[in-house]
Amino acid sequence: MQLHSAILPVLAVLAARALGIPMPDASQDESLGKQLWMSTPETTQPPAGIPANYALQPARRAQPPSGAHVVAPKDRDTTDEFAHIARFDKATDLHARAPGYQNQTATIKGIVSALDPNQQSALDGGNPLAFKSKTHPYTPNTRLFDQSKFKLPLPTNRWWLNLMIEQGADPIHPYPYVVKCMQNASSVGFPRFNIDQAHVTSDQPADWTVGDGNQALTQRKVTGADALGVEVTWTGSSGAQMCSRFYKGMAFQTFEMQNMAPRLTTIHAVLKVEQLTRAVLSAQEDAAQVQRDVSDMPLMTKVTLNDGSQWLVTSKPGITWQQQGSSTLQPQNINGSYTGFVQLAHLGDQPANNINVLQRYAGTYPTAGAVTYAQVQGSDGTGRSSNVVFMYQTNTAASSDSTHVYNTSSVSTTMQLLSFVLPHHADHINGTSILSNGLSGYRCAKGPLTAVAGNLISYNQPLQQRPGFAGPGALADSDKSQLQQQLLRDAATSTNVTAEDPYFFGKGAAKVARLYQIAQEVGDATTAAALGKKLVALLTPWLVAQSNSDPLVYDSTWGGVVSTLGISDPSLDFGQGRYNDHHFHYGYFLYAGAVLAKYDVNAFAPLREPLSQLLRDYANPSASDAQFPFMRHFDPYDGHSWAAGLFTFADGRNQESTGEALNAYYAAYLYAQALGLQETAEFYEIILNMEAASGRRYWHPTRAQAAQLYGKPFVHNAVGILWSSKADYVTFFGANPEYVYGIQMLPFTPASGMLIKQDWVREAWCPDNSTCADGMKPAAQSASKNGWAQFLYTAYALVDRNAALDNAAACTPDDGNTLTNTLHWIYTNQQLAIDSN
């Protein structure tokens, strides 16, 4: 009953074209109607060992810890993908050969991956490591995971990573639930959200504990993972075993049991235990409509607790639960050990309706998940897009084999998976997947969840105009002349990069690369040649000679490139030695490398291998790579990256800077384009658009969207830090509004317009302090013409070019920016600007 998925083999296999998704989130109670449960948890503080220098000088922006591969043949459909799966997992071979899956693959025939992650990437030239190897002093806690399933490279930023670091005691957040995995049991909770002006927090409750009544379970380990979720297995004496696979968006939390005495314990008092019969269903839902034989359904029990909540507990073989004391449920009809499964589902804020929906899908749960990023369809003139497809294999069988899942035409759709999707999925999902009579009262930190049915879910990701090296618009002759004059000044005064850490050095190198790119655009060959030489001189000590004071090294313990100081001390280099913010840091390096590769291939040649390895470190497009993990930071379900690395937080993963996340994948896209890796570039373009879309949806909301997603009074046009289970209107380095806005925009590049939209800027500018004191205009004014103010005025150019030019030109640039770059961005985005005068 295990997932059989050492992270790379099955991730590589399943993620090629299998699919899987949804995601739920909950937090409501019948007695409170549609009001969220309230709580007042403390805001997460940086744990010991996280860099203490979060609050560096604001003007210097301290970032906190917080090939062409071979593409599958165009006529290859997903049936072939299951053959790939079968090579790695004999159990999964049942899926590959089952007629039900043949039927299902016929439904999705024609979906072809933009890139096959099972194959070696062209970024990996098979060359030796460009950086010296070093073991990491922070070693993996091997008591927490099955070493036969997890081998180098190890995951460092997955959403469920709390299970594998420190003592594994902090929770994970498979929306809409919160889960803790102890050594002998697992807790499941339904978060209640507290909302104030600065934070949306949740209380991380342990409403239920699922364990063994004989206390036979003694050890738990992470025993598998795939593109969407993670498997945890508990073992103990007398063959007792419990296994759960945690995926975001599941309506039920499911626990498979072998040779156990199931016991459910709650932190509340049990008020009522009701074993359900068919009579509970509404009169309209007779057996013919439900299309499911009673004998095929698990036994269901509704439990009412004294906090006002109601839960559905299902089991198969059926368990008759008996209350013992005030807070424990144990089987009444099981004399010896039990082998089967138990599911828990909260009944949301409308239990009477929700229970009817949940009953129809009870008993089905995921056993494996995968993601496909489909080849781009359409043209620039008609609109381009990619389908992002999630597919789950489930336990539901059409035969006596209940261990694995396959659907056939003879199996009712009620055997399908019931799950939830996030708001950005619901914006573009196939409407037939959404339940017309859905589930109410389920949410997560990103807002309300939408119920969907189906093992395969596809949503359409629109692609914006391809961002290039040059700006999105042409330069007017008068603008070009002014830009050339400023370029000469900045080329003479703003190219001395002295930073010794990878973050600030990367910003400095990218700043010089922007000047180099702009010099090429305006046709100043002399200045461009000098800037190109300067760029090579900056990058060579870091990437070739490795003679800088804080050399990059390859961490042979976890599998990645880290700084020497960072690997020795987690409080240095913003925690990047423990894989914090690698996409932020190395995205700047890759942008510099991409520009150099485009214009001077000979100068770029010695830098290619180390730069390609940095790209593989944070955005590796191959899951078969033995040195770097697949897409270290990116979470396909949430549609964005998680920045935090090997640090554990009770609130889960987090990301602060959407601007730098966007820059990371923009740089990856440009780099692949410059190297002529078209399929790889297409893959990165999809990821780039997903990151931008989630950034706009969750970090850049309109005030109406903020009220819908987060709730009043948390009604802002920007979110500072978004976590797995909360949202903050602050940054790691301060709460000033200019920081919150600015960190969601920098650095300004030709891709920034994917994230920064005119309508959003117009509303966020909010010149009336009495209606929104946190608006961008008052924030820019209070920033006293520093680098943060310049970022805000630059964005305002989408609304009023002239006012933006005057104010931005009067500001002192950030250390990763120049006035040349600011003017270039304003000039080349002028087609959107409206001169209010």
Side-chain angles (χ1 to χ4, degrees), residues 761-789:
V761 175
R762 180 182 289 112
E763 180 181 293
W765 195 250
C766 198
D768 185 354
N769 288 15
S770 64
T771 59
C772 48
D774 62 342
M776 286 175 65
K777 181 177 181 178
Q781 291 172 334
S782 69
S784 302
K785 299 189 183 302
N786 64 15
W788 294 104

Side-chain angles (χ1 to χ4, degrees), residues 476-499:
D477 290 341
S478 58
D479 294 339
K480 182 177 179 180
S481 176
Q482 294 180 44
L483 189 62
Q484 285 176 306
Q485 295 175 40
Q486 186 60 43
L487 172 64
L488 293 174
R489 289 190 286 269
D490 284 334
T493 62
S494 300
T495 61
N496 186 25
V497 181
T498 60

Side-chain angles (χ1 to χ4, degrees), residues 468-797:
F469 286 87
L475 283 165
D477 290 341
S478 58
D479 294 339
K480 182 177 179 180
S481 176
Q482 294 180 44
L483 189 62
Q484 285 176 306
Q485 295 175 40
Q486 186 60 43
L487 172 64
L488 293 174
R489 289 190 286 269
D490 284 334
T493 62
S494 300
T495 61
N496 186 25
V497 181
T498 60
E500 298 180 351
D501 69 279
Y503 176 70
F504 285 116
F505 172 81
K507 287 183 68 175
K511 174 180 66 175
V512 175
R514 285 294 301 140
L515 294 174
Y516 183 31
Q517 168 63 37
I518 293 168
Q520 297 284 356
E521 284 185 56
V522 300
D524 188 339
T526 301
T527 302
L531 288 167
K533 290 179 180 178
K534 179 66 176 181
L535 190 56
V536 173
L538 287 170
L539 293 174
T540 298
W542 279 80
L543 301 177
V544 181
Q546 297 177 26
S547 58
N548 59 301
S549 62
D550 188 11
L552 299 176
V553 296
Y554 177 79
D555 164 23
S556 59
T557 302
W558 293 88
V561 178
V562 296
S563 67
T564 296
L565 292 179
I567 199 174
S568 63
D569 186 339
S571 69
L572 299 178
D573 293 348
F574 310 110
Q576 85 105 267
R578 291 199 185 176
Y579 296 93
N580 249 7
D581 302 351
H582 276 208
H583 57 325
F584 299 164
H585 295 199
Y586 297 152
Y588 286 116
F589 282 76
L590 263 296
Y591 176 78
V595 176
L596 193 61
K598 178 175 177 60
Y599 295 111
D600 194 340
V601 66
N602 293 327
F604 167 74
L607 300 166
R608 174 170 179 162
E609 188 59 34
L611 282 166
S612 294
Q613 290 182 22
L614 289 187
L615 179 51
R616 286 161 61 201
D617 175 272
Y618 77 82
N620 186 7
S622 173
S624 64
D625 197 316
Q627 295 167 326
F628 301 95
F630 178 77
M631 299 298 293
R632 187 185 300 279
H633 295 273
F634 192 74
D635 186 327
Y637 183 82
D638 285 80
H640 64 78
S641 300
W642 297 114
L646 300 174
F647 298 96
T648 181
F649 297 92
D651 292 306
R653 304 284 94 190
N654 68 74
Q655 177 160 274
E656 180 187 49
S657 179
T658 54
E660 288 176 311
L662 184 85
N663 183 64
Y665 301 114
Y666 170 56
Y669 169 73
L670 291 185
Y671 188 81
Q673 287 278 26
L675 269 59
L677 311 179
Q678 294 306 314
E679 291 88 358
T680 305
E682 182 175 303
F683 170 74
Y684 285 140
E685 184 188 6
I686 296 167
I687 300 298
L688 172 63
N689 276 270
M690 291 174 70
E691 189 82 40
S694 288
R696 295 192 307 273
R697 195 69 166 91
Y698 304 117
W699 280 265
H700 289 210
T702 65
R703 292 181 182 256
Q705 288 172 336
Q708 183 261 341
L709 293 176
Y710 303 115
K712 297 180 179 180
F714 190 88
V715 183
H716 305 284
N717 285 114
V719 171
I721 310 168
L722 191 57
W723 303 70
S724 301
S725 63
K726 72 170 183 174
D728 292 326
Y729 186 73
V730 297
T731 71
F732 282 115
F733 51 93
N736 294 9
E738 64 266 28
Y739 304 163
V740 177
Y741 283 112
I743 201 60
Q744 305 310 335
M745 296 189 283
L746 68 83
F748 277 80
T749 72
S752 297
M754 301 177 71
L755 189 61
I756 306 168
K757 297 299 182 181
Q758 184 189 61
D759 289 347
W760 175 74
V761 175
R762 180 182 289 112
E763 180 181 293
W765 195 250
C766 198
D768 185 354
N769 288 15
S770 64
T771 59
C772 48
D774 62 342
M776 286 175 65
K777 181 177 181 178
Q781 291 172 334
S782 69
S784 302
K785 299 189 183 302
N786 64 15
W788 294 104
Q790 189 175 64
F791 290 138
L792 273 58
Y793 286 123
T794 303
Y796 188 57

Side-chain angles (χ1 to χ4, degrees), residues 323-530:
Q323 183 175 345
Q324 291 192 351
S326 63
S327 59
T328 300
L329 299 180
Q330 294 197 162
Q332 183 181 21
N333 60 330
I334 307 295
N335 295 322
S337 63
Y338 176 80
T339 295
F341 66 79
V342 173
Q343 296 181 301
L344 296 168
H346 193 280
L347 293 184
D349 65 354
Q350 295 183 17
N353 176 71
N354 290 343
I355 197 169
N356 287 335
V357 178
L358 288 163
Q359 284 186 103
R360 283 183 243 152
Y361 299 91
T364 299
Y365 55 89
T367 59
V371 184
T372 289
Y373 308 94
Q375 283 184 335
V376 173
Q377 303 295 317
S379 65
D380 290 327
T382 60
R384 300 164 62 248
S385 65
S386 170
N387 287 320
V388 180
V389 190
F390 305 93
M391 187 177 76
Y392 293 104
Q393 295 178 357
T394 69
N395 67 302
T396 312
S399 69
S400 59
D401 176 15
S402 61
T403 303
H404 299 283
V405 179
Y406 46 95
N407 288 342
T408 71
S409 57
S410 63
V411 176
S412 165
T413 56
T414 55
M415 303 289 278
Q416 291 182 334
L417 195 63
L418 177 64
S419 59
F420 297 93
V421 293
L422 289 170
H424 78 280
H425 301 141
D427 291 343
H428 300 287
I429 203 168
N430 181 342
T432 59
S433 299
I434 297 176
L435 296 182
S436 56
N437 183 21
L439 295 170
S440 173
Y442 300 84
R443 66 159 292 142
C444 68
K446 287 184 170 73
L449 300 168
T450 300
V452 297
N455 300 3
L456 181 151
I457 298 172
S458 173
Y459 76 95
N460 184 265
Q461 176 61 63
L463 303 184
Q464 301 186 59
Q465 178 181 340
R466 293 181 184 93
F469 286 87
L475 283 165
D477 290 341
S478 58
D479 294 339
K480 182 177 179 180
S481 176
Q482 294 180 44
L483 189 62
Q484 285 176 306
Q485 295 175 40
Q486 186 60 43
L487 172 64
L488 293 174
R489 289 190 286 269
D490 284 334
T493 62
S494 300
T495 61
N496 186 25
V497 181
T498 60
E500 298 180 351
D501 69 279
Y503 176 70
F504 285 116
F505 172 81
K507 287 183 68 175
K511 174 180 66 175
V512 175
R514 285 294 301 140
L515 294 174
Y516 183 31
Q517 168 63 37
I518 293 168
Q520 297 284 356
E521 284 185 56
V522 300
D524 188 339
T526 301
T527 302

